[in-house]
Amino acid sequence: MALKAKSKWGPYKKRGSSQGLGKAKEIIWLAQISQEFSKFTRFVVGDGDRIRFWEDLWWGDQPLGVQYPRLLSVVTDKNTPISSILGSTRPFSWNFNFCRNLSDSEIEDLEGLMRSLDRLHISRSVPDMRSWSLSPSELFTVKYFFLALSQFSDSPLVFPTKFVWNSQVPFKVKSFVWLVAHKKVNTNDLLQLRRPYKALSPDICKLCMKHGETVNHLFLHYSLMMGLWHKLFQLAKTDWVPPKSIFDMLSTNFNGFGSSKRGIVLWQAACIALMWVVWWERNARIF
């Protein structure tokens, strides 16, 4: 029976393993992307079945719940679609479903809202749609989304695609640098998160034997690595202040060996070589 159960269901896996953590991170990441995406879209009303009356941006420059917060506070269901509140024929039939009688000030807000929506047209034969506010054609393009994200101060730095993928190094090295910049390379701290039930012994950097091993420590803050970076910038005759993270390091255009094609190629190769060599040395000491 035990053998049959194993062959049918697969090997036993502990709860809370790395798969569960990975799924949770993926869901959080998708939610963040969806939130960023929604900032640049607005709804175009058709039949009103898919657009939330209070929460979605479809009338004016803000959601109606933001424009009329006093009305929103007394609504029974804040996720109600437009079609459940407004009838499709004129004059509109209204069904706001407030949880209590309105005060005088709330009645004034309601009258203003109803006057504002008098120009609204609902068509039962046309579904609701989204329009892309950043493009003149109102159609989504990756280009406009990328430019918008890169211009917002609260957005993360844009990954230096050309620095990595246009560099004159083997493809596996380019992939390695991409992993380093995104904290996906298997340093001890990441392995510990993936396998929390397997303690790493010892959980320290194999090069310095003092501090915990992270991407930023190994490729930037480790004393010997910091010395190598300083030496490289001295050769390039460039002033340098150590950044907070290796991502910041790669995202900054230092223009180390000049702006010529040869200078750019040499600078890319030198920076990537430092990270590649320290990774090889680290692995050699472990394995």
Side-chain angles (χ1 to χ4, degrees), residues 7-21:
S7 63
K8 182 177 180 180
W9 302 108
Y12 170 77
K13 293 184 179 180
K14 292 188 177 182
R15 292 184 178 180
S17 65
S18 59
Q19 286 188 344
L21 292 174

Side-chain angles (χ1 to χ4, degrees), residues 21-89:
L21 292 174
K23 283 290 185 182
K25 290 181 179 179
E26 183 178 345
I27 292 173
I28 294 173
W29 179 79
L30 289 174
Q32 292 173 342
I33 293 296
S34 177
Q35 186 176 15
E36 291 293 331
F37 179 85
S38 298
K39 292 179 182 178
F40 309 113
T41 63
R42 65 179 300 117
F43 287 97
V44 179
V45 180
D47 54 18
D49 289 338
R50 298 183 179 181
I51 303 176
R52 296 176 299 174
F53 184 89
W54 296 104
E55 299 291 337
D56 290 328
L57 177 60
W58 62 277
W59 193 257
D61 297 329
Q62 294 177 313
L64 291 179
V66 177
Q67 298 182 48
Y68 300 93
R70 287 184 293 195
L71 294 180
L72 180 66
S73 65
V74 294
V75 170
T76 302
D77 185 3
K78 296 178 175 58
N79 292 316
T80 303
I82 295 174
S83 59
S84 296
I85 294 180
L86 298 179
S88 59
T89 59

Side-chain angles (χ1 to χ4, degrees), residues 156-160 180-181 183 216 220-221 240-254:
L157 291 174
V158 178
F159 182 74
V180 170
K183 295 184 178 180
N216 291 329
L220 184 61
H221 299 145
W240 179 63
V241 176
K244 183 179 180 180
S245 67
I246 191 65
F247 189 98
D248 295 337
M249 176 74 183
L250 297 176
S251 300
T252 305
N253 183 17
F254 289 105

Side-chain angles (χ1 to χ4, degrees), residues 162-214:
K162 292 183 179 180
F163 180 90
V164 176
W165 301 115
N166 290 355
S167 58
Q168 302 299 311
V169 298
F171 180 77
K172 67 177 182 179
V173 181
K174 297 178 184 180
S175 302
F176 163 75
V177 176
W178 187 94
L179 291 173
V180 170
H182 288 84
K183 295 184 178 180
K184 300 294 184 181
V185 71
N186 286 329
T187 49
N188 281 352
D189 63 325
L190 186 58
L191 291 174
Q192 193 71 51
L193 289 175
R194 290 178 176 175
R195 296 186 176 184
Y197 50 88
K198 289 188 178 181
L200 298 176
S201 180
D203 184 18
I204 59 175
C205 173
K206 286 293 184 179
L207 298 181
C208 71
M209 299 301 292
K210 295 179 181 179
H211 305 285
E213 185 184 79
T214 65

Side-chain angles (χ1 to χ4, degrees), residues 125-145:
S125 60
V126 179
D128 297 328
M129 296 182 295
R130 283 180 183 262
S131 66
W132 185 245
S133 61
L134 299 179
S135 173
S137 65
E138 296 188 344
L139 299 176
F140 172 78
T141 62
V142 174
K143 175 183 177 181
Y144 282 105
F145 191 31

